[in-house]
Amino acid sequence: MLAALAAAVALLLLGAVGAQAKVVELTGTTTFTPSTQATQFLANHGVTVAPTGEATAEDGNFVFPIAAGFGNTRTYNGLLAHKGGLEFTKGDRSAVVRNFVAVRIRGAGAVLLAQIPGLKGGCGHLRQALNAFALEHPAAAKRIRQVARNHPKGTRHLLRAVWNYCNGGRVIVLAQLTNLSKELTYNSALLSADLKLSGQAARLVNKVAGEHTVNPGAPLGTAESRVTVVG
């Protein structure tokens, strides 16, 4: 399930290989607007949602600061890591999803990852995804190894960050991102996408609700990321 994250790691290690633009650091915020279906579903089943950490609620939306981001200046393929999270509660049952990472890469689709604190995560599944990526893309894997040898400090920093993310809780695919779009200006962009609930997230919601009430693919809402190039 984390093949897209593995591909994003490959993208960041490769830099601008195969593209006419460089990879840049990004900052900004992402606003999530729940769909009418999601809002009604949660209300009908007595599940409340509240922001946690540095996330905030504004007029029915949730706003998440971007902790770090990297993307291609032409396509804005890359990733956006966010601070804060959401807590789903019903009675004495609750679940937190936090530290959302949006991963978008050409040819591999786009997903939204999240941590579930308190549950074991680990990076074994990420290593498997990276190995699968290398097998499917041998030429890219060779270039990645070359870049890693030429930039050992940056590579260690990136892999350490991924390792820490994996070990901060169980990492799940929260949603698939569809209908991706972007509006570019001089040094900023507005990125938008629709979110569809993943199978892992559907199981989590059903557990909080105490019954099977939602299926994978349900529309969660839309997300807009206002990003600015750092520096």
Side-chain angles (χ1 to χ4, degrees), residues 91-230:
D92 59 355
R93 293 188 297 271
S94 66
V96 172
V97 287
R98 66 181 186 186
N99 298 339
F100 305 119
V101 178
V103 181
R104 177 183 184 183
I105 186 165
R106 181 180 179 183
V111 296
L112 183 68
L113 307 176
Q115 290 176 343
I116 304 177
L119 297 181
K120 293 182 179 180
C123 284
H125 48 330
L126 177 58
R127 285 194 294 270
Q128 294 173 1
L130 284 168
N131 290 335
F133 178 84
L135 290 175
E136 294 174 5
H137 307 86
K142 181 178 180 180
R143 293 197 295 273
I144 291 169
R145 288 191 291 270
Q146 292 173 343
V147 172
R149 285 194 296 267
N150 293 335
H151 303 279
K153 184 176 180 179
T155 300
R156 287 196 300 269
H157 179 75
L158 173 62
L159 294 179
R160 188 180 304 114
V162 173
W163 177 267
N164 290 339
Y165 183 71
C166 288
N167 284 280
R170 180 174 298 173
V171 178
I172 68 169
V173 176
L174 186 69
Q176 279 75 42
L177 305 180
T178 62
N179 298 325
L180 306 174
S181 66
K182 63 181 184 295
E183 296 178 11
L184 306 179
T185 59
Y186 174 69
N187 67 337
S188 64
L190 177 63
L191 312 176
S192 62
D194 295 333
L195 283 70
K196 292 186 177 181
L197 193 70
S198 72
Q200 291 174 303
R203 288 191 293 272
L204 179 67
V205 173
N206 290 333
K207 184 176 181 180
V208 173
E211 56 184 321
H212 183 87
T213 54
V214 67
N215 294 315
L220 285 180
T222 60
E224 288 190 343
S225 299
R226 295 185 180 275
V227 299
T228 303
V229 176
V230 175

Side-chain angles (χ1 to χ4, degrees), residues 79-98:
L79 66 83
L80 295 175
H82 299 82
K83 301 177 183 178
L86 296 172
E87 182 173 13
F88 297 81
T89 303
K90 180 179 181 180
D92 59 355
R93 293 188 297 271
S94 66
V96 172
V97 287
R98 66 181 186 186

